[in-house]
Amino acid sequence: MEQNDTASHERFLTLFTANEPAIRAFVRRLVPTRQDAADVMQGVALVLWRKFPTMEASDQFRKWAFGVARYETLAWLRDKARDRLVLADDVLDTVAHESAQIENCLSAQREALEGCLERLPDEQRTLVLAAYEPDVRIQDVAEQSGRTVPAFYQWLHRMRVRLLECTRRTLQAEGVQ
């Protein structure tokens, strides 16, 4: 592999990994399920990789990637058009446009929440995250915590409130609303 190719691959990976959560969230808002979003994201990643050499400015990567994600989502939805859960194109266009506009705010919220989660003691953070794992049985997490199921739900509610307040304070301190 040539030096130029290596530098281009590294640049792509750096930009893609930095923006992948936002792109995935954007796609997730446009399709019915997480699995659908994962399917669309595979196509998005491939198109971004193939077309990366044609991208002009690295500082426009996110905007460019959202455009690619929008078109890949439209193509995926057209393939699934027989499914009654598919949105009409004009509705999808509206959702995609609004999603792109609010992405900066949502990204700031995600970062603030991640920071608040990191400040939790390890045991608490592990339990909170375990409660939101796919296909998790809350009874198993409650048992892991040493609490009854009702007590665990109460504890989880208090943790959600604590994380929400922390996130709001963080956003307010950063001047993001």
Side-chain angles (χ1 to χ4, degrees), residues 1 10 22 24 31 46 62 68 74 81 83 98 104 122 138 144 148 151 169-170 173-174:
M1 190 180 295
E10 288 176 2
R24 182 175 298 277
V31 296
L46 286 172
R62 182 179 285 201
V68 169
L74 282 170
D83 189 344
E98 291 178 7
N104 288 337
D122 289 342
I138 207 70
Q144 178 185 346
T148 64
R169 280 192 311 272
T170 302
E174 294 173 357

Side-chain angles (χ1 to χ4, degrees), residues 14-159:
T14 300
L15 291 168
F16 183 74
T17 54
N19 289 284
E20 190 269 341
I23 299 165
R24 182 175 298 277
F26 176 80
V27 169
R28 178 63 184 100
R29 289 189 294 272
L30 301 176
V31 296
T33 69
R34 290 187 200 290
Q35 183 58 50
D36 295 339
D39 293 345
V40 172
M41 280 301 295
Q42 288 179 4
V44 169
L46 286 172
V47 171
L48 291 175
W49 173 253
R50 287 183 191 133
K51 294 188 176 193
F52 185 68
T54 66
M55 193 189 76
E56 295 176 10
S58 293
D59 63 336
Q60 294 294 313
F61 183 85
R62 182 179 285 201
K63 183 177 180 183
W64 173 68
F66 278 17
V68 169
R70 181 176 168 273
Y71 286 113
E72 285 297 303
T73 303
L74 282 170
W76 183 87
L77 287 169
R78 280 189 198 106
D79 291 344
K80 300 289 183 184
R82 286 170 267 146
D83 189 344
R84 63 189 156 117
L85 297 176
V86 175
L87 299 174
D89 286 351
D90 59 334
V91 174
L92 182 66
D93 285 342
T94 301
V95 171
H97 177 73
E98 291 178 7
S99 293
Q101 287 183 328
I102 63 169
E103 180 52 41
N104 288 337
C105 181
L106 294 174
S107 181
Q109 289 174 351
R110 274 191 300 277
E111 288 175 22
L113 177 58
E114 287 170 7
C116 292
L117 278 166
E118 287 175 11
R119 286 185 226 128
L120 289 177
D122 289 342
E123 182 181 334
Q124 290 179 356
R125 181 177 52 247
T126 300
L127 288 172
V128 168
L129 294 175
Y132 292 98
E133 286 291 321
D135 302 322
V136 71
R137 290 187 44 205
I138 207 70
Q139 293 84 355
D140 295 338
V141 182
E143 185 178 307
Q144 178 185 346
S145 75
R147 294 174 178 87
T148 64
V149 171
F152 182 76
Y153 274 119
Q154 288 177 347
W155 175 85
L156 189 58
H157 173 73
R158 286 192 304 273
M159 294 306 296

